[in-house]
Amino acid sequence: MVKRKLPKLSTLSAVIIITLFSVSVVFFLQVVMAGRILVASSRTTSRLLYQIHASRITDSIRRNMDFISDVLYLSHQLFAEFDTHSSDVEALTEKTLIEMINLSPNVYSAWCIIEKGAYFEDRYYIKDFVKHEGVLIEVDSSHLESDLEDPENAPWYFESLLSGEIHFDDIDLYDYGIGEDPIYSSTISIPIKSNGEVIGVCGIDIIYQDMFDLTDIYEENKGWTVLLLTQDMTILHGPDPELIYKNLSDYPFKNIDLKRCALERNIAYTDEIKSPFSGTRSLVSLKPIRIDTEIEHSPLYLYIDAPVSRLYADATYNTGLLTVEFFVGLSLVAFIIIINMRNIVQPIKKLTQTAQQISDGNFNVEFNSVSPREEFNNKNEIAVLQNALKKMVNSLNENLFTVERRVEERTNELRMMTKEAEAAKERAEDADKAKSRFLANMSHEIRTPMNAIIGMSELMLSENLNDHQLRCIQDIHVSAKSLLNIINDILDLSKIQSGKLSLAPLHYDFYELIDNISSTVQFLAKNKNISFKLNTQGEMPRCIYGDDVRLRQTLLNILGNAVKFTNEGNVGLTISVSNTTIVFDISDTGIGIKEEDMSTLFDAFTQINMRKNRTQEGTGLGLSITKSLIDMMDGNITVESVYGQGSIFHVTIPKVLGDEALIQQATDNDSLIHVPDAKILVVDDNAINLNVACGLLRLCKITAETAASGKEAIEMIQKNKYDLVFMDQMMPEMDGVETTKIIREMGVKIPIVALTANAIAGTKEEFLAAGMNDLLTKPIRKNLLNKILTEWLPSEKLIFRYGKNAPSVENSAEIDAEFWKKVEKIEGLSVQTGLDRVSGQQEVYGKSLKLTIKEIEKCDKNLNEFLAAGDMRNFTIEVHSIKGSLANIGAMELSRRAYELEIAANREDKNFCTSNLVPFLEQLRILRANLSDIFEAKKQFQSHIEIPAELFPILKNLKYAFKETDFLAIDKGIKSFNSINPGSALKEEIDKIKDAVLIMDYESAINVIENLLKQK
């Protein structure tokens, strides 16, 4: 038996079938979507009706409750001057209770109870009236007396008696002792006062089911079941009297526990289930009725059961109509396609066969795709195509005879074009030179107005702008800086091409350069949620001779591109040092570079893979400039890449060692302003950083307050009004950005300036977006501090300026020369560097040295604990903190080793941290021991401490404040020291107390105070 293969569908037939299928799918989806929209609309309408009915019922109850509140208020006034010794007590009580019942038809019972001893000596005075079937009945009080023996049985009495406030009791079954079955009611009680004292309680009982009528709701919505429930799901009101006082949980409800949980949490519940009342599928809703009255209680729930068949009747009908229209439309489309297939598909098949013969070289073919009478019909596209094909065949025959002649003519033309191309090359070279001159001139001309735009926008950012204006100015500022970077790239390229760009070599700190580059890339990588790894191989030189600005520019350009084109994974920088060269390997796990793009990678104005990278900004000049600069350094750059996996750039420069003594140090000679009335808060978790900042502010006659954490800063800002806040960026638990956001959410508009060691592109924008106003880099420079204070402090507090930096004269006569000689002999400690950090203030520097002792003790303990627990985040924060502290006192080598640990911790290199932490801590302990010995020796030479009499009460109050952790009293006591003029020995002890407060070591502060008090 021969198997027959199914004929393969032609392309046109496949297109027709796919079209028919697509139309069917589209029609079907439209029907489904329309049906869903109609069902959703019906559901929304039913829920809206539910809200309307709930509002009507709530309004009905609220009106009645408001009136009952008025009745209670009137009763409270009648009992306000209750005199238990009056002979009219019983008449007044009976009249008041009857008035309470008669004033509102919803009041079922009114009662009054006077405490024992207030009217009767040994028993309660009780009056209780019930309105039963329109008749007032005085109820026997014996059942009330038994309840009053136990407070738990009578919360409606004791709650109001003890609190002196109105008490609202929940709805419950209650037997009034009049021969009727118990009924559901709720009690509202108020205290009775005589001469300002509570002597008893009166109250009323109300029945909710009499407060409203649901007849109108039933008439508007046939088939609906609307019920009023208590908190325990008991039915108070409904369409059928037989439902009254039954419980909803007695009926076969689906998910009854979910409904009960909704009631307990006082939230709404909605679901489509089978109704136990109608037996059909219904939309069931259960919602608390919130009554906003003076009683502020919500004991009722509204239950609505709406049959789905009625809710979705219109939706079902319209969906069926759409389904019929779908099948009718689909049949019509199929009929039209079948009719047209004979007129289109068959002629096209014939024409396709003819074209195949022509492609095989047979130019003597017959064209019979259309009938002869249709051959010249211009409106028949197939006939037009057939005639065009005929003309093409004729043209091919004619072209065969002219090809050779054309080839010879073309050869002659190419010879002429070659000569013209050589001339055009010369003209292009001249034009390129003119272009370079034009670009250079244009860049210089544009930079002037661009700098003006940037400067003016920075000024505008400091103005009091609304949110819309602030966003506009920020956009202008960022866009202008971006445009200026592009102009600078063009200018650099022009200088390179014209031979005017030269290097400016000098002796520079190689560690500081790498630290700056690492901080910059970490910031860029953090914003894209990718990791950055820094590795070193070989012995890193401390000082290099070369152009550090241009080296930083080239490395940041390559690293910036790596971050820009890497969406996940990591970016790495490996520095390999040999005897003659330094090699920088920049790797990434980004999109990579295609092999065909390698040849143009370093061309100017070229950005590879433009289609894929169209969202990335750039001029395409960066790598061109980078290669030119590296060539000028006698180095070279190469690249390896696998498209889709990543790239590695290799940058090699000669190793030329520099002289550390010739490293240029930044100096600050700017004048300082004096602002003695300024109130400033400095926030930093590092005590030495706080000391340095406060010392520099004291040059401006400012006594700053300090906070050691973001939480403490928030508490102080809530209690005090500050003119300015300096906020450290990196703090444990809550960093500066998180703290600032919380402060802004509190509505506090105080200026906040970020303190950070990462002065990189984009940092300021991130801080401004978080709500900060400005940025100040560490180490703090006086000229920048001067600028910040001038810009953000109130102008009326800026009293005067000094033309030159005023030298520090604080206690200069008391400085111990022998002490400083010993400090200068400590190995690895540069006293001059430490003094430069605090503008030459010996007292501030000495205080930093003393604080370093405690800082090292804390660091020694914390670093070991964090490393043992594998907590690399807090390890990084701690080692970052000690790095800054060591740099502030001039221990630069130890600061460098701390930096190496910080880098390793960032890349979670636990092996490096484990092996290098022990020798690092050993050196820290040696430094701590040397400092401790020097300060102990100085202390032995101090004279006897003379304590003024007015200091003793201050010390006693402070001691108590430390024990109670009373921050306000501590702050007040520390400020009281300013009124004391102590001698040098006493001043040192006071400084110990202040230092302990600075780091919140209250136990040490108490010990110092106790020693001083013993001097009395």
Side-chain angles (χ1 to χ4, degrees), residues 106-338:
N106 300 307
V107 176
Y108 180 77
S109 171
W111 48 270
C112 171
I113 303 174
I114 304 300
E115 272 286 272
K116 292 179 180 179
Y119 187 77
F120 295 123
E121 289 295 328
D122 55 350
R123 61 188 179 90
Y124 293 94
Y125 172 73
I126 302 175
K127 279 289 184 177
D128 189 1
F129 288 89
V130 173
K131 182 171 65 175
H132 180 64
E133 297 180 355
V135 179
L136 288 175
I137 303 173
E138 184 172 359
V139 181
D140 182 12
S141 62
S142 59
H143 68 287
L144 292 178
E145 290 180 344
S146 61
D147 289 340
L148 294 173
E149 295 302 320
D150 186 358
E152 291 185 359
N153 294 334
W156 41 267
Y157 176 78
F158 287 98
E159 289 289 340
S160 185
L161 180 73
L162 296 177
S163 67
E165 303 290 341
I166 295 178
H167 173 72
F168 187 99
D169 210 9
D170 291 334
I171 299 174
D172 204 351
L173 275 173
Y174 193 81
D175 187 356
Y176 286 88
I178 59 174
E180 296 290 335
D181 293 332
I183 61 174
Y184 277 90
S185 64
S186 182
T187 301
I188 305 174
S189 54
I190 60 173
I192 299 174
K193 295 183 180 180
S194 177
N195 296 324
E197 294 183 358
V198 178
I199 63 169
V201 176
C202 73
I204 58 175
D205 294 352
I206 58 175
I207 303 176
Y208 281 95
Q209 69 182 75
D210 295 332
M211 283 191 176
F212 56 91
D213 190 2
L214 300 177
T215 305
D216 294 336
I217 297 176
Y218 298 139
E219 291 178 355
E220 293 174 9
N221 304 279
K222 299 296 184 181
W224 285 31
T225 301
V226 183
L227 305 175
L228 188 69
L229 308 177
T230 64
Q231 287 179 317
D232 63 352
M233 302 177 73
T234 300
I235 302 172
L236 289 179
H237 201 294
D240 188 353
E242 294 181 359
L243 297 175
I244 304 302
Y245 295 158
K246 290 185 178 180
N247 196 283
L248 202 64
S249 60
D250 296 334
Y251 294 89
F253 273 102
K254 177 185 176 183
N255 297 330
I256 188 67
D257 291 334
L258 292 178
K259 296 180 178 64
R260 197 183 304 279
C261 289
L263 287 177
E264 292 174 355
R265 290 183 294 168
N266 206 30
I267 61 175
Y269 171 88
T270 302
D271 196 7
E272 256 186 39
I273 60 174
K274 183 178 179 181
S275 171
F277 300 109
S278 63
T280 61
R281 189 163 187 80
S282 301
L283 179 64
V284 174
S285 297
L286 186 64
K287 177 182 178 182
I289 300 177
R290 294 182 175 87
I291 305 169
D292 186 15
T293 66
E294 293 180 3
I295 301 170
E296 297 183 350
H297 202 74
S298 175
L300 301 176
Y301 286 81
L302 181 66
Y303 170 92
I304 294 182
D305 179 335
V308 170
S309 59
R310 291 181 176 273
L311 292 176
Y312 303 157
D314 293 337
T316 304
Y317 172 79
N318 292 326
T319 302
L321 187 60
L322 285 173
T323 303
V324 173
E325 291 177 356
F326 159 69
F327 284 108
V328 171
L330 187 61
S331 301
L332 183 60
V333 171
F335 176 77
I336 293 172
I337 290 175
I338 293 172

Side-chain angles (χ1 to χ4, degrees), residues 234-443:
T234 300
I235 302 172
L236 289 179
H237 201 294
D240 188 353
E242 294 181 359
L243 297 175
I244 304 302
Y245 295 158
K246 290 185 178 180
N247 196 283
L248 202 64
S249 60
D250 296 334
Y251 294 89
F253 273 102
K254 177 185 176 183
N255 297 330
I256 188 67
D257 291 334
L258 292 178
K259 296 180 178 64
R260 197 183 304 279
C261 289
L263 287 177
E264 292 174 355
R265 290 183 294 168
N266 206 30
I267 61 175
Y269 171 88
T270 302
D271 196 7
E272 256 186 39
I273 60 174
K274 183 178 179 181
S275 171
F277 300 109
S278 63
T280 61
R281 189 163 187 80
S282 301
L283 179 64
V284 174
S285 297
L286 186 64
K287 177 182 178 182
I289 300 177
R290 294 182 175 87
I291 305 169
D292 186 15
T293 66
E294 293 180 3
I295 301 170
E296 297 183 350
H297 202 74
S298 175
L300 301 176
Y301 286 81
L302 181 66
Y303 170 92
I304 294 182
D305 179 335
V308 170
S309 59
R310 291 181 176 273
L311 292 176
Y312 303 157
D314 293 337
T316 304
Y317 172 79
N318 292 326
T319 302
L321 187 60
L322 285 173
T323 303
V324 173
E325 291 177 356
F326 159 69
F327 284 108
V328 171
L330 187 61
S331 301
L332 183 60
V333 171
F335 176 77
I336 293 172
I337 290 175
I338 293 172
I339 293 298
N340 282 282
M341 282 185 67
R342 290 188 306 171
N343 300 327
I344 298 175
V345 176
Q346 293 302 327
I348 289 178
K349 283 184 178 179
K350 291 182 180 180
L351 193 59
T352 302
Q353 293 171 358
T354 303
Q356 185 64 45
Q357 293 180 32
I358 295 172
S359 66
D360 293 337
N362 181 13
F363 299 144
N364 299 317
V365 293
E366 293 184 12
F367 294 87
N368 57 358
S369 300
V370 295
S371 61
R373 61 189 181 91
E374 286 289 326
E375 187 173 359
F376 299 100
N377 185 356
N378 293 332
K379 294 184 179 180
N380 189 330
E381 288 80 4
I382 298 176
V384 173
L385 183 60
Q386 177 176 289
N387 290 328
L389 202 56
K390 281 183 179 180
K391 292 179 181 179
M392 181 188 70
V393 172
N394 295 332
S395 297
L396 286 174
N397 286 323
E398 293 176 1
N399 288 337
L400 288 175
F401 297 100
T402 59
V403 167
E404 291 182 357
R405 181 172 56 83
R406 292 285 182 92
V407 169
E408 184 178 356
E409 293 175 354
R410 187 59 179 166
T411 302
N412 293 330
E413 291 175 359
L414 288 174
R415 291 194 186 99
M416 296 297 296
M417 291 172 64
T418 302
K419 294 180 180 180
E420 293 177 0
E422 292 175 353
K425 178 184 176 183
E426 295 177 358
R427 293 194 298 271
E429 290 174 351
D430 293 337
D432 186 66
K433 294 178 181 179
K435 177 202 72 174
S436 298
R437 290 193 297 272
F438 167 76
L439 290 176
N441 293 332
M442 178 194 70
S443 299

Side-chain angles (χ1 to χ4, degrees), residues 497-559:
Q497 292 179 344
S498 62
K500 294 182 179 179
L501 181 66
S502 60
L503 301 179
L506 48 75
H507 301 268
Y508 64 90
D509 190 329
F510 190 63
Y511 290 161
E512 185 176 342
L513 173 71
I514 299 304
D515 188 15
N516 176 266
I517 291 173
S518 174
S519 296
T520 302
V521 181
Q522 285 185 49
F523 174 80
L524 297 174
K526 179 187 71 172
N527 290 341
K528 292 196 68 176
N529 199 25
I530 59 177
S531 62
F532 171 69
K533 299 179 180 178
L534 174 64
N535 297 302
T536 59
Q537 299 175 2
E539 185 177 354
M540 295 275 287
R542 178 59 185 268
C543 183
I544 292 292
Y545 180 75
D547 192 332
D548 61 325
V549 174
R550 294 303 180 182
L551 180 59
R552 182 185 289 105
Q553 178 183 356
T554 57
L555 294 178
L556 283 179
N557 181 271
I558 300 173
L559 285 164

Side-chain angles (χ1 to χ4, degrees), residues 10 20 47 64 85 88 146 190 240 276 349 352 376 384 389 462 518-519 655 682 687 729 759 795 907:
S10 65
L20 183 60
R47 295 189 180 185
N64 284 281
H85 302 292
D88 299 327
S146 61
I190 60 173
D240 188 353
K349 283 184 178 179
T352 302
F376 299 100
V384 173
L389 202 56
S462 65
S518 174
S519 296
K655 175 185 173 184
V682 182
Q729 173 200 3
S795 57
R907 65 173 182 260

